[in-house]
Structure formats: C-alpha cells, structure tokens
C-alpha cells in the first residue's frame, strides 16, 4: 500500500519567516494530496489539497507544490504567525480509493 | 452546521470492559471512517464505510467492531478493552473517493 513520509518531524520558525514541510509518497498512482492542520485538543482540519493534474496551488499564505516525477509534495506557509503553530499532516490517495494514507505529522512552532 | 459529532469526549475503562464510541455527521456524506491517533504514529485507519451498508477493515482493525447504522451514523465498539487501546479516536466523513475528510474533535480513551 501507499507509504507517506514527512520531514522534518519538528520545525521551529521565527514569526514572519516561511515554513516548508515536505512529504514523499511511494505509490506512483496516487493523485490526490491533502494537507491537514491539527490544533491542540481538536481534530485535523483540511487546509489545502492538490490533485495530480496541477503542480501548484495557493490560498492566501498557504501553498502546496507537487512533483510527480520525484513523488514528493510540499506545504509552504509564508509570513508565519503564532496561530500557525500546530501539527500538520500530509496524506495521499489514488483514484477510486476511499482510503487516505497519512504521514506521521510535523510539529510547527512559530516563535514570536 | 455541526459537521462531525463524536461522543463521549473522554472515557476511562478498566481492562475487559466494553464500550461504544458514537459518531454522527450532518453533511450527507457517503463515506465514514474511524482513526486512532497515538504519539509518533500519526493517524491510523481502524475501519471505514465507503457507503451505507458496507464496512471494511483498515490498518489496525483487531479488537474493534463497527456498525454503519444509517447514512449519518457510524459507531465503533470495543468488546473487551485492553491498555493497548488507550488512544485518541477520531471519526471522519467524506463524499467518497479522493474527497476531503472532515474530522470530529475526538474521543480520548484511557484503559487501565
């Protein structure tokens, strides 16, 4: 089955700087790549997703890039703010598959 | 719009006791899922239901049973709780294949 790995496991950034989290996946048939943000005591919440027919997608300060050849995708957060501190999960799935494979998560800490 | 509602929020069980975790969604989603989250392990799929009337095993189904009661409700049962089942349990729903998951806020279960 699909195997998704996230790097680094913990990331500390100064407020206002950018944060980048990278995920790699193993199944070349995967074509849907969502990112989730989990705040303390809450369930994960979708923040952005990308499908394999595009290479980049942006939503305000958040962007996701996809490199299908190298089988990796990255989350970019610009102008980080304290409220961006959370655990971020990447995931991947294939067409016709109801099951998302999740990475183990990245703890992002924004230092004021 | 409540989204995905899980009950209870917290539970303490003794080894060997049984309990049912309840989940309901009001988004008319076809698919529902149960995950467990443990430190350093990310989100692991226990069971899922692609549509009303169907259920399938995920990565870690041993020790659990599920019931898709109707389109809205998907319950998870522990017949004989074990300390290894101490975890945070999340229910999620989605429209179906390659669609975003919507998570509840979790049930924190401790088995002593």
């Amino acid at each position: 089955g699909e195997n998704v790995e996230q790097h680094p496991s913990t990331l500390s950034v100064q407020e206002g700087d950018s944060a980048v989290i990278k995920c790699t996946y193993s199944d070349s048939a995967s074509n849907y790549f969502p990112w989730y943000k989990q705040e303390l005591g809450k369930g994960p919440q979708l923040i952005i997703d990308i499908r394999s027919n595009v290479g980049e997608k942006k939503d305000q300060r958040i962007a996701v890039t996809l490199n299908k050849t190298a089988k990796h995708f990255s989350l970019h957060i610009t102008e980080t703010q304290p409220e961006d501190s959370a655990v971020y999960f990447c995931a991947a799935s294939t067409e016709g598959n109801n099951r998302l494979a999740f990475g183990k998560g990245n703890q992002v800490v924004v230092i004021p | 719009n409540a989204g995905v509602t899980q009950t209870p929020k917290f539970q303490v069980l003794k080894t060997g006791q049984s309990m049912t975790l309840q989940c309901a969604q009001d988004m008319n989603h076809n698919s529902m899922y149960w995950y467990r989250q443990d430190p350093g392990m990310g989100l692991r799929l226990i069971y899922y239901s692609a549509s009303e009337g169907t259920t399938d095993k995920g990565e870690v189904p041993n020790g659990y049973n599920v019931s898709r009661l109707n389109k809205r409700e998907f319950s998870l049962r522990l017949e004989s709780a074990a300390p290894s089942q101490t975890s945070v349990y999340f229910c999620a729903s989605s429209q179906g294949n390659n669609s975003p998951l919507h998570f509840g806020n979790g049930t924190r279960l401790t088995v002593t």
Side-chain angles (χ1 to χ4, degrees):
Chain A
E2 174 68 278
N3 182 42
V4 177
E5 295 190 356
Q6 289 184 241
H7 306 279
S9 59
T10 304
L11 178 63
S12 296
V13 295
Q14 292 289 334
E15 183 178 355
D17 287 350
S18 295
V20 181
I21 306 168
K22 180 178 173 179
C23 279
T24 59
Y25 61 97
S26 61
D27 188 347
S28 56
S30 290
N31 62 353
Y32 176 61
F33 308 94
W35 282 92
Y36 290 83
K37 176 184 180 182
Q38 186 178 27
E39 297 175 343
L40 200 60
K42 295 187 177 181
Q45 184 174 16
L46 179 76
I47 54 172
I48 197 166
D49 57 6
I50 193 168
R51 298 182 189 272
S52 61
N53 56 345
V54 297
E56 183 176 1
K57 183 176 178 181
K58 287 184 181 179
D59 182 2
Q60 299 182 344
R61 296 187 297 107
I62 293 172
V64 55
T65 58
L66 172 64
N67 184 326
K68 287 219 73 178
T69 304
K71 290 192 284 189
H72 67 72
F73 57 111
S74 299
L75 178 70
H76 305 254
I77 307 173
T78 58
E79 299 172 20
T80 52
Q81 301 169 5
E83 54 264 38
D84 295 328
S85 294
V87 177
Y88 292 82
F89 291 96
C90 63
S93 69
T94 58
E95 187 66 44
N97 189 340
N98 281 80
R99 299 171 57 161
L100 276 174
F102 281 89
K104 289 186 167 56
N106 293 93
Q107 176 75 57
V108 173
V109 178
V110 179
I111 304 165
Chain B
N1 189 346
V4 178
T5 303
Q6 292 184 237
T7 56
K9 288 184 168 55
F10 301 94
Q11 184 71 49
V12 178
L13 292 178
K14 295 187 176 177
T15 297
Q17 288 185 318
S18 62
M19 79 161 294
T20 299
L21 282 65
Q22 307 286 355
C23 176
Q25 52 93 7
D26 63 3
M27 295 172 282
N28 201 35
H29 283 166
N30 294 314
S31 303
M32 297 186 73
Y33 308 79
W34 277 105
Y35 287 87
R36 60 178 289 173
Q37 184 175 31
D38 303 291
M41 300 295 291
L43 292 157
R44 292 185 292 170
L45 183 64
I46 305 171
Y47 270 94
Y48 68 104
S49 170
S51 60
E52 188 178 355
T54 69
T55 60
D56 285 287
K57 295 179 180 179
E59 290 176 75
V60 289
N62 291 347
Y64 305 95
N65 285 300
V66 290
S67 296
R68 184 74 182 266
L69 304 169
N70 48 55
K71 191 171 186 180
R72 290 188 64 248
E73 299 172 288
F74 189 39
S75 63
L76 178 72
R77 182 160 178 85
L78 287 70
E79 289 291 350
S80 179
S84 61
Q85 294 177 306
T86 293
S87 187
V88 181
Y89 291 86
F90 288 100
C91 177
S93 70
S94 77
Q95 280 289 17
N97 293 340
N98 280 5
S99 297
L101 295 182
H102 297 256
F103 285 86
N105 281 328
T107 294
R108 185 174 293 276
L109 175 67
T110 302
V111 183
T112 61

